[in-house]
Every structure is written in C-alpha cells, then in structure tokens.
Amino acid sequence: MLKKNYIFIFLLFNIILSFSQNRKVIELSEGWKFQKGNPENASQIEFNDTNWQNVTVPHDWAIYGPFDKEIDKQIIAITQNGEKIPTEKTGRTGSLPHIGSAWYRKSFNIHENNINKKIILQFDGAMSEPEVFLNGKKIGEWKYGYSYFYFDISEDVLEGNNLLAVKLTNKEFASRWYPGAGLYRKVTLTFKEKESIKHWGTFITTPIVTKVFAKVSIKTKVLSSHGKLVTKIYDHLGRLIAEQESSEAFGNEFEQNIKIKNPILWSPENPYLYTAKTFLFIDNQLKDEIITKFGVRKIEFIPKKGFFLNDSLTKFKGVCLHHDLGPLGTAINTAALKRQLTILKDMGVNAIRSSHNMPSLEQLELCDEMGFLFLAESFDEWKKPKVKNGYNRFFDEYAKKDVENLVRATRNHPCIVMWSSGNEVPDQWGSEGVKRAKWLQDIFHKEDPTRPVTVGMDQVKAVMASGFGAIMDIPGLNYRVHLYEEANEKFPQGYILGSETASTVSSRGIYKFPVSQGIMKKYDDFQSSSYDLEFCSWSNLPEDDFILQDDKSWVLGEFVWTGVDYLGEPTPYDEQWPSRSSYFGMIDLAGIPKDRYYLYRSRWNTKEETLHILPHWNWKGREGKKTPVFVYTNYDSAELFVNGKSMGIQKKTKEKTPQHRYRLMWNDVIYEPGTLKVIAFNADGKAVASKEIKTAGKPYQIVLDADRKIVNADGKDISFVTVSVVDKNGVPCPTATNQLQFDVTGKGNFRAVCNGDATSLELFHKPTMKLFSGKLVVLVQSTKEVGNISLKVKGKGLKSGSIQITSIKE
C-alpha cells in the first residue's frame, strides 16, 4: 500500500537495447511497404505489393497532407468548453488525411540459430486499432493507438523468410486533436533464450536513501523455475561499485538488495545515471543479460508543504505536450524530441506531462538523461465519450491491459514521479465515475506501489460533491483557479496540483491594438495577439497561476497548456477556416519561442538573465499612436527609451494588477521609427543589463542558423535550421512574409519546413514556404553516408543564404 503521505524512495532505471549474445534486439525500420486503403488479401504472403510505397518506420502517412477542412468538419458543441449550441468546427484534428485504413508489410529473415529462441514482436505505438498478421495468420490485435504492446511469436515464425503485415484503422470523430496515422513509433524484434528474463519483468526501488548509502531492492521475474541471478552496478565512468549473486527465487521472481555507498542522486539539476548489468544463469550457463541505466532519487508529497525531491522542496515548473512533432507529424524522431526538450530546458521547465496519452519511450529516455520530472498520462476518455469513436469503445476490455502495459514498460524511468489515469473525463459526474477512478488507481498501485496517481479534473464542483477528488492520491485541477482555495479545504490530501493551467493564446510576432485583456478574442486574420493578454472561456492568464504557485505552499506546481503548439484544436478559431493548429504554445509549431516563452523564462530559469522586449518596432502607419511596450525580465525594474528619450522607470509590484507583479509595462508609448532600448536595474538600483530592438528596412538578405552543424550519419538525425531575413544593416525584418525555396545537396536530404503559422495550408514536405513574422525552420536530415551537407535558401529579390552541415559516424 502507499504510505500515508506518499513518501517514496526510489532507485529507477531504464533498459537500453544493448545485450549479450544470448539476447538481441532488432529494430524493424527499413524495407516496409505501405498502401492506404483496404485491399483484399493484403495479409497473405502471395499478395503482390510491388507497386506499394516504400517507407521507413516510424511513419505517419497523414502528415503529407493536403490540408482539407472537409476531413474533420463537425457540427457539435464542445461540452468540456462549456458550449451548449452546436456549431460547425474545422481543424480540430489538423485537417490532415488521417481517417481510413492502411496496410504495412515487411519481410524479415529468421536464421536457423534463432528458430528455437523466444521471439518477442513489440510495437511502441500504432495509430490505430492495429491488426497484426504473420505469414498470413492473424497473431493478435490491439485497440489503443498510444499503447505499447507485444506478442510472443516464437511458435509462429518460420526458418528463413517471414512476412509481417499490419492493418491500421483510423475512424472519424475518434480524437480531439491530430492523432497521426500509421506505425508512428518503433517496431522491434527481441530474440532470447526460452529460459530468460521476462519481458518488462524488472522493477527496482530503494527503501532507504541517505547521503551515506542507498539500499537497492531489485525484483526480477524470469521464465524459469530455478537458476542464478547476478547483478553488477557501475558508475558513470564504468567502474564497478556494487554487485550481488542470488540463487533463490520465489516462484519465478528474484529479489535482490544491493547497497550503493555515497549515492549521487538523480534530479533535474543533476540527472546522474548509473548502469546495471543483470545476468541470468541456468545450471551455470549464461542464458540472458540486460544492460540498464538507472537513477537514484527520493520523492515525497507532504500535506500543506508540497513536493520534495531528495529532501528539497520542488515546485513543478511543467508544461503539457501533445505527441506530434510539428512538420514531422507523429513519427517519432529523437533529434526532434531532443531539440524540443533543449528549448524547454532553457525556459526553465523541470517537468513534462504527456497529454493526454502514453509517452514515447524515446521521450522518457531523454527526460532521464536531460533531467525532467515526468507526469505520465494514460487516457483522455474512460467509459463516457467525449467524441463519438473515442476510447470509450474499448474501455471495458482494454483499460486494465493498457494501464498494465504503460506501467510495466516505463516504471523504471527515474523521470516519472506521477501517473495520471485520465484527463477531464466526463465520468467526473456521479458514483460510477468515482468507482472507475478508484478501480484505475488501484491498478496503478498494484503495478507500482511507489508513485501517486492523479487525474486532470475540470469539473471541480462535481468532484468535490461526489468524492471523486477526495479519493485521488494527488488532486489535479485543470484551470479553475477561483476554486483552488475551496478545493483545498474540502479535499483531504493537503495539496493541489495544477495539472493543466493557463491556456493563454498567441501567434508569434503578431500584435493587436488596442492592447487589452480578452476572452476568446478573434480577428480577421485568424491570429491571436502576442501581448499575452488573451485566453479561452474556460481558462486564464499566466499570472493567475503564478500567484498560486508563489503564495500557496500547498500548491505543488503547474503544467502549462502548452509548452509547444500542436496540430489540431485551433481554439479560438475552430469555427474559422483556414486554421489547423493550436495557439496555446509558448513555442510555435516550428519550435520558435513566442514572447510568452520569455515571461515564463523570467520566473523559471533562475540561473540565467532574461531581458525580452515586445512588440517588434516596425509599425508603418502607427506613427503618433499609442503602442504599448512590455518587458519580460527576471529583474524587478527597468527604464525604457525611445530614440534616446526616457519613457520612465517601471517596477514590478503587487499593488496593482497581477500583470504588474510579473511584467514591466509602458502602456502609453507613442510609436516612432527608430530604436527601442531597455536598461534593467538590480535590487540596489544599479544598471546591470540592456537590450535594444530597431526598426528594420526592406528585406535584403537571408540568414541561416542551425541548432547543430554536426549530425549523425544514421539516416535519422536532423539539423533544424532557422531561416530569417535582415535588412542591409543586418537588422531582422519581423514582418517579412517572403516566399522562399530550399535546396539540400550532399549527404543529406530536405526533410520538412514549418513557419509556425496556424493558418498556413502550405505542405510541410514541399521545399518552399512563406516566412511568418520573419522566420521559418528547415529540417535537414542525414543519410547513412558520411560527408558534407549544404542547404541553400533563396527568395525573389533577396540575397540568398547557405549553410554547411557535417554528417559523421558517432
């Protein structure tokens, strides 16, 4: 059982695909044949797929478009948004062609040395309702597109050539956002001995952690009634620091207790990982070996005080993330995930919530390595539907199996500190919902008695009345800032988590006048103002949450909706076309920070200076008009100058609006072209930092800036190149919308392009696109050949730009 105050001491780990000669893992990535539709007999060996498309997995068939409003047009009222009258909605699922069936086929060879092995076929995710066939025989199916699942195919494979076929079906009205389509996560084959360590069969905790030592408890399930288990633990330099041999198993499970002296604890600030090697011997013969990276850490939730990591009070400075990767769609790519997390890390983010589904294994591995706390979520629906063909259809049969797979596959990641069994489920109403909440929470507890469980609750009055909120380990509130105090008084836990917050909307580089707060504001260009004062009917501005985080010790922290823009849910423009992606992100769909990024950075990144000015200063036609200037900074005061003339000093204060507590604002600035300069002061009133922006002339030259100039020649790695335009003096042109063309030569390929404009219908995979607010991002992907890659960008009337990237073998 969970302890009263949810005190957990952990040592957790993550299995790496690196094994002895007794175990081998092969990723089935190349050589797939793909065809959309449902041709007859496509599962059979003799079926002719010669004319099918050649693809590499992970693969998202829908991201290539085209965008079409008819794909996801719906006449509905979105009840969770408080709507009562149905209206026409478009773009909710990205307006990309994800609906329908499709087939994947791949041949693979089983060598005679492996025909008597145990062979596991694992899918990390398949969108959706996968039916799996081997050599013409159906070997299994799953339903939930986000779930990891596997089949033991040992008795079904043939020596020599085998044919794997997968049918996928995406129904209309099955998602509230862009779900993607296809084998969008990895597919692997694991070969091991019949007597071996069970798949997802290891779980490690530490019942004691001190500065002097950590007691490591390792439970390992094996496919044998006897044998010997040897575990060796190494530090980050590869030095052996502890080991243990065990010959006695309880049933089919070994339990080992190993002492680590002077452990280095895992944390976001120091994500230290050890390595463990576990060997299974049967009759003194090595049968199996797994190599594991792990972290040692202690978590504790204390009523009225908050969340403690390694005995240090820690607020969740978190963001919610959907699973798509912008122009790549949902197809998993480690370079794209790492870039996303790197940008969030610079903002000061220390926590991620997977919204609203199981996270990819690659994302969890990166969060272990880079240092992010993680809230791993499972479902957006339970038994009661939000959408016609959602998960409600499968809940009774699959919910238990899906939760078990989620926990068993991921529970050893040190980043995960909480589970979530659902998000804004309609089951929050009534006694049946309470029973379902407890039933799911009990499954999590059985599989992992060490972490608490939450639900993102938006019907706060209902869950206070029914007892739903009271039974949760961690009460998670989505928005409803005005009910935090009342909920905390009525719930017994002694703390509240902001499981989803803010939902402020903005378009990068777009500013609207006059500047004022507004709910569901809409404009003729279908953009939202980047003055960061616009929000949704159910939500609020960032400062409302900042105050709760700063002033209430019982608030555990927040997960902002969202860290990055995503495909689908174009609120407040889901009734307008074209509009096909979100406005919620602090970072746009291309991965370029918006102004709001710096507002959060000024609070969350406590180690580095933030001094950011908005808006841009190119306002032809606004001469003589009020053009408010905001500064997002970690300094408490600053002085603003327009062409050398002081606009006065502003100081952060609690005495005015919530915005005055966290922003510096000059609301009466009169626009005139030239230079906008801000000088920031420290607590002693000393000028310590300055920044300026200038009015740009006509676009003149293209400028390129790559996130990495060296990539791995593995055919998967990507360099993200930000493209912008400057005038003759090198001043960025923030309003440029030039049409650009891209050409990649050498040992790489043009992969995609994105400008962050939620209304753009230009296709991501075509080598041309317009700038949006002066910028876009080109994705250059490596081949498997070592050498130089060149990207050249040109546009009519502009001096072209180019950049060199080197591809190497790592």
Side-chain angles (χ1 to χ4, degrees), residues 91-93 176-177 322 561 566-571 581-582 584:
R92 291 197 75 199
T93 55
R176 297 191 299 118
W177 56 85
H322 266 312
W561 192 264
Y566 55 93
L567 291 162
E569 285 195 314
T571 310
S581 58
S582 77
F584 298 115

Side-chain angles (χ1 to χ4, degrees), residues 572-587:
Y573 293 107
D574 52 10
E575 297 176 3
Q576 278 77 30
W577 179 260
S579 192
R580 45 68 172 161
S581 58
S582 77
Y583 299 78
F584 298 115
M586 293 175 273
I587 301 164

Side-chain angles (χ1 to χ4, degrees), residues 15 18 24 72 108 126 161 236 313 320 377-378 380 390 410 427 453 457 541 575 584 622 626 681 687 737 750 766:
I15 295 176
S18 178
K24 186 177 182 181
D72 54 11
F108 63 92
N161 194 57
H236 74 295
L313 178 62
C320 301
E377 196 152 82
S378 50
D380 188 53
T410 69
D427 312 66
V453 181
M457 301 179 292
L541 294 177
E575 297 176 3
F584 298 115
R622 286 197 61 82
K626 284 186 179 181
F681 305 103
T737 58
F750 169 82
K766 298 291 186 182

